[in-house]
Amino acid sequence: MWRASVLSIFPDMFPGPLGVSLAGKALTAGAWALDVVDIRNFAADKHRTVDDTPAGGGPGMVMKADVLARAIDAAAADARPLLLLSPRGVPLTQNRVEALAGGPGVVLVCGRFEGVDERVIAARGLEEVSVGDYVLSGGEIAAMALIDACVRLLPGVMGAPDSAAEESFTHGLLEYPHYTRPPVFEGRPIPEVLLSGDHAKIAAWRRAEAERLTRERRPDLWAARDRKVTKPAG
Ligand SMILES: C[S@@+](CC[C@H](N)C(=O)[O-])C[C@H]1O[C@@H](n2cnc3c(N)ncnc32)[C@H](O)[C@@H]1O
């Protein structure tokens, strides 16, 4: 079974949003498993200290390598990828999410304070993963985002099996616009083609809209797609 192990100094934040809706139902149904490890349980003193002042001075505190290493050693005894949520990590993409969802699960280390002692990152081979170019106060919400993105791709979790195939990023395009009843909302009608019943025309319209939105909103994705399309074979 796909398993997420999360190492955090705020274990009570879990399952949080992962306990409701699709992910929550799948968790209750046993489609995936979650264990949360309290990093403080691996501290060596009676105050359960997990952080210390930065070598070289400067603001904030740093998560201690020895405490974190003990927590990791207790949680990560199998072949699952060992990831540290980190703003300086490789940005998470739908491709990576698909690969992670197709594996045995993940072990996720949630940073806090100014960050994590570099030596434990090197010593335990932590792979740094970012959820975007902004700074959160801790890795927990980033871990939840990663887990949620993976869990919805697990077999049987999403209602309609085609949903994932058509979504943003799956084919290097953003998704086309959606509409539902009423046919007119505040003077804005549903595009006529969607009510035509002509499936080929509808598919062509959706494709054109997906391309237009990607060109307008994400020139980076569009350029990457262009490069793939024009790349010579071989
Ligand atoms: C306040 S942040 C530390 C930021 C760090 N001093 C820096 O400038 O890169 C504390 C923790 O939040 C998590 N975090 C913050 N932003 C993140 C992001 N964009 N993606 C993934 N994790 C993030 C990381 O685990 C990080 O160690």
Side-chain angles (χ1 to χ4, degrees):
M1 187 197 308
W2 198 87
R3 175 176 295 274
S5 298
V6 181
L7 282 61
S8 165
I9 62 168
F10 293 113
D12 293 348
M13 286 178 77
F14 291 87
L18 298 172
V20 295
S21 189
L22 273 187
K25 278 187 200 143
L27 185 59
T28 310
W32 67 290
L34 172 69
D35 8 273
V36 187
V37 175
D38 186 349
I39 296 168
R40 286 193 192 280
N41 289 345
F42 297 86
D45 63 334
K46 70 171 191 249
H47 301 294
R48 298 172 25 102
T49 307
V50 293
D51 58 317
D52 207 337
T53 52
M61 300 294 274
V62 175
M63 286 183 95
K64 286 165 66 61
D66 51 347
V67 178
L68 205 46
R70 284 195 289 275
I72 291 168
D73 293 345
D78 53 30
R80 287 174 296 164
L82 184 49
L83 310 178
L84 169 67
L85 283 313
S86 160
R88 43 170 228 198
V90 175
L92 186 65
T93 61
Q94 189 66 16
N95 273 347
R96 187 72 207 278
V97 165
E98 284 167 17
L100 290 172
V106 286
V107 180
L108 302 177
V109 179
C110 301
R112 279 272 159 180
F113 315 109
E114 284 307 315
V116 170
D117 188 316
E118 194 68 24
R119 293 168 298 175
V120 71
I121 301 176
R124 293 297 179 272
L126 299 180
E127 181 191 339
E128 295 181 63
V129 174
S130 164
V131 294
D133 289 346
Y134 44 83
V135 179
L136 299 165
S137 44
E140 288 78 6
I141 290 174
M144 287 174 194
L146 186 153
I147 294 170
D148 180 81
C150 290
V151 162
R152 61 196 293 285
L153 298 184
L154 298 177
V157 171
M158 233 183 305
D162 290 345
S163 294
E166 296 222 342
E167 274 178 333
S168 292
F169 311 115
T170 304
H171 300 295
L173 290 174
L174 301 179
E175 200 181 44
Y176 51 79
H178 297 289
Y179 300 87
T180 186
R181 281 178 282 268
V184 180
F185 166 70
E186 295 185 353
R188 297 163 192 265
I190 293 178
E192 238 177 78
V193 60
L194 297 180
L195 308 174
S196 69
D198 183 332
H199 295 298
K201 267 196 192 154
I202 292 171
W205 180 87
R206 286 180 167 163
R207 176 82 189 182
E209 282 294 287
E211 291 183 356
R212 176 183 65 79
L213 286 169
T214 310
R215 263 195 320 270
E216 284 174 13
R217 296 184 183 179
R218 292 294 301 273
D220 56 324
L221 285 183
W222 187 251
R225 225 183 103 71
D226 248 10
R227 279 197 296 277
K228 265 190 216 151
V229 173
T230 54
K231 203 170 131 196

